[in-house]
Amino acid sequence: MKPTPLTLKKKVALELWRQKEALVRQEHPLRQLFWECTLRCDLKCRHCGSDCKMQDASKDMPREDFLRVLDSIALKLDPHQVFVIISGGEPLMRNDIEQCGAEIHRRGFPWGMVTNALHLTPQRYRALLAAGMRSMAVSLDGLEDDHNWMRGNNHSFQMVNQAIDMLVSTKDFLFDIVTCVNRRNYPHLNDIKEFLISKGVKRWRVFTVFPMGRAVFDPDMRLTNEEFRGVFDFIRQTRQEGRIRADYGCEGFLGNYEGEVRNRLFSCQAGITVGSVMADGSIAACSSIRSDYHQGNIYKDDFLDVWENRYAAYRHREWMRQDECADCSYFRYCQGNGMHLRDGNGKLLLCHLNRLKNT
């Protein structure tokens, strides 16, 4: 693959970043721990990577099982340095999510939640804050028609709109709004931006669909190469305006867009600073990874023992030098792209740099 030329300034910055990240991989400090607390979900999102259902065959993980993991971690690590992110499925499908949060908080772990907000009533929001919730990420995939089309529910936008008002009015609370760009909402990115600014939102995270789950079979989810590049041009321009902090998601090495469309240069932190406990007890890394790169299971392994002694596939990525990565001169910076973009056989599903090169 012919590499995209980088400016000298970018090469220097990337080289310094690469050296720093090599030390992080060596030390692999656990900083974020995802808990996939349920596989149930009340929406049918067109892009869903996990294909969750309203009533999944798997039962929710009992909160006591996850709390035992936290108790074990707290014996060796400072719980205040490990941020727990409750995800799903949809966490608010659990009637005990407030109790879960309160117990996490009582143990000294800061925690937040990723939610579609469909059940985020004012009463539940206040209860979550009282349980120590420190952050929240809420999905908004367009204005009303586009968002409801994406989420498959005519009430979804209304609830997200209400959620944004609650979040904005909460003093010193960290939150961001997350938008999945697709062919339908791409022409309206500026309208979404203006809507968020008018609501008082300060942080907006934008990502593009990766080929997993339902999105594989939906042509409306797949941007053209020109639209794909257009997303980064839009984010860069929005950041230059300074009215709202727009960031591209953590996935994908972006060549000369690095340093211009998010607050850090690219690195996949899965298995390096980010771990997860999946709904079936599997010990994994980033919860976006749907291929089986599990390293153990909490029902037979100690989480920290696994964290310290396994995860080689995440921390030593020379095995990814295959196919289009084999002779790419930017592998030293990319390290084979995000782990969630590898299938179960290790094949790369999407190369961001390659798509940008082909526009």
Side-chain angles (χ1 to χ4, degrees):
M1 181 179 78
K2 182 180 179 181
T4 302
L6 295 175
T7 65
L8 177 60
K9 182 179 178 180
K10 287 288 167 64
K11 288 181 179 178
V12 172
L14 286 166
E15 189 60 32
L16 292 173
W17 181 259
R18 183 189 69 83
Q19 295 173 24
K20 172 183 172 294
E21 287 301 301
L23 292 175
V24 175
R25 283 197 300 276
Q26 183 178 348
E27 297 173 359
H28 51 267
L30 180 64
R31 291 289 178 257
Q32 289 186 327
L33 179 62
F34 283 87
W35 177 31
E36 187 183 55
C37 70
T38 182
L39 287 176
R40 293 183 294 146
C41 187
D42 43 7
L43 294 179
K44 296 181 179 179
C45 303
R46 302 178 73 96
H47 67 304
C48 182
S50 56
D51 199 23
C52 297
K53 300 176 176 61
M54 180 71 77
Q55 296 294 335
D56 192 85
S58 302
K59 294 182 178 179
D60 297 346
M61 177 183 287
R63 65 175 180 264
E64 293 80 8
D65 295 353
F66 179 69
L67 294 173
R68 280 194 290 271
V69 173
L70 296 186
D71 290 338
S72 174
I73 291 174
L75 293 175
K76 297 180 180 179
L77 301 180
D78 179 359
H80 298 92
Q81 301 300 314
V82 182
F83 200 100
V84 175
I85 302 172
I86 301 178
S87 66
E90 170 51 48
L92 293 175
M93 294 289 287
R94 290 185 65 130
N95 293 327
D96 68 341
I97 202 65
E98 295 85 354
Q99 290 83 2
C100 294
E103 287 298 321
I104 294 170
H105 177 70
R106 187 174 69 82
R107 286 163 168 77
F109 291 85
W111 69 275
M113 177 185 294
V114 179
T115 179
N116 61 39
L118 191 61
H119 290 301
L120 190 63
T121 63
Q123 294 80 8
R124 293 205 80 178
Y125 182 63
R126 288 193 294 268
L128 291 166
L129 291 176
M133 182 175 66
R134 296 266 298 275
S135 75
M136 180 172 279
V138 175
S139 297
L140 175 73
D141 296 310
L143 301 185
E144 188 162 10
D145 288 345
D146 288 345
H147 176 84
N148 289 343
W149 169 83
M150 182 77 156
R151 298 283 161 172
N153 186 295
N154 289 332
H155 302 288
S156 181
F157 179 83
Q158 174 188 345
M159 293 303 293
V160 171
N161 191 31
Q162 175 182 262
I164 292 175
D165 288 337
M166 294 188 294
L167 291 165
V168 169
S169 65
T170 305
K171 186 178 180 180
D172 298 325
F173 187 77
L174 182 66
F175 74 93
D176 62 355
I177 304 303
V178 184
T179 298
C180 174
V181 183
N182 55 74
R183 297 215 68 190
R184 176 159 169 161
N185 67 14
Y186 173 79
H188 309 298
L189 286 176
N190 199 63
D191 295 332
I192 301 171
K193 178 188 73 177
E194 294 299 332
F195 171 75
L196 293 176
I197 292 172
S198 73
K199 300 288 284 186
V201 173
K202 303 299 183 185
R203 296 162 57 98
W204 182 25
R205 183 154 40 103
V206 176
F207 71 99
T208 48
V209 172
F210 53 92
M212 295 288 282
R214 296 171 188 160
V216 174
F217 308 104
D218 192 337
D220 290 324
M221 294 297 101
R222 297 194 291 274
L223 299 174
T224 66
N225 287 340
E226 290 75 16
E227 291 167 338
F228 190 71
R229 179 179 287 274
V231 170
F232 304 115
D233 290 334
F234 172 81
I235 295 173
R236 180 169 58 188
Q237 179 181 341
T238 298
R239 290 172 66 89
Q240 291 171 349
E241 292 171 357
R243 299 163 64 213
I244 187 172
R245 198 188 91 176
D247 289 287
Y248 186 61
C250 61
E251 64 181 65
F253 177 70
L254 304 174
N256 276 315
Y257 286 104
E258 289 295 329
E260 300 181 8
V261 296
R262 52 190 164 208
N263 276 16
R264 55 181 287 149
L265 300 178
F266 171 71
S267 64
C268 176
Q269 293 297 303
I272 298 171
T273 63
V274 178
S276 67
V277 174
M278 308 302 281
D280 63 355
S282 295
I283 297 172
C286 170
S287 57
S288 293
I289 299 171
R290 290 296 155 184
S291 297
D292 186 3
Y293 290 101
H294 300 158
Q295 303 296 298
N297 193 289
I298 65 168
Y299 293 113
K300 62 179 182 179
D301 301 302
D302 176 74
F303 180 90
L304 269 188
D305 179 66
V306 172
W307 179 257
E308 289 299 330
N309 298 298
R310 303 186 194 177
Y311 285 90
Y314 294 88
R315 297 168 188 166
H316 309 286
R317 300 195 176 188
E318 283 297 313
W319 65 270
M320 293 183 177
R321 281 188 182 271
Q322 54 180 301
D323 301 326
E324 60 191 293
C325 295
D327 59 354
C328 179
S329 61
Y330 294 113
F331 185 90
R332 63 190 290 106
Y333 309 129
C334 177
Q335 292 289 300
N337 220 331
M339 280 290 288
H340 69 290
L341 297 174
R342 297 273 166 176
D343 67 15
N345 297 316
K347 183 177 177 60
L348 182 63
L349 300 173
L350 170 65
C351 173
H352 291 65
L353 193 60
N354 200 26
R355 288 203 71 184
L356 291 170
K357 179 179 73 74
N358 288 326
T359 54

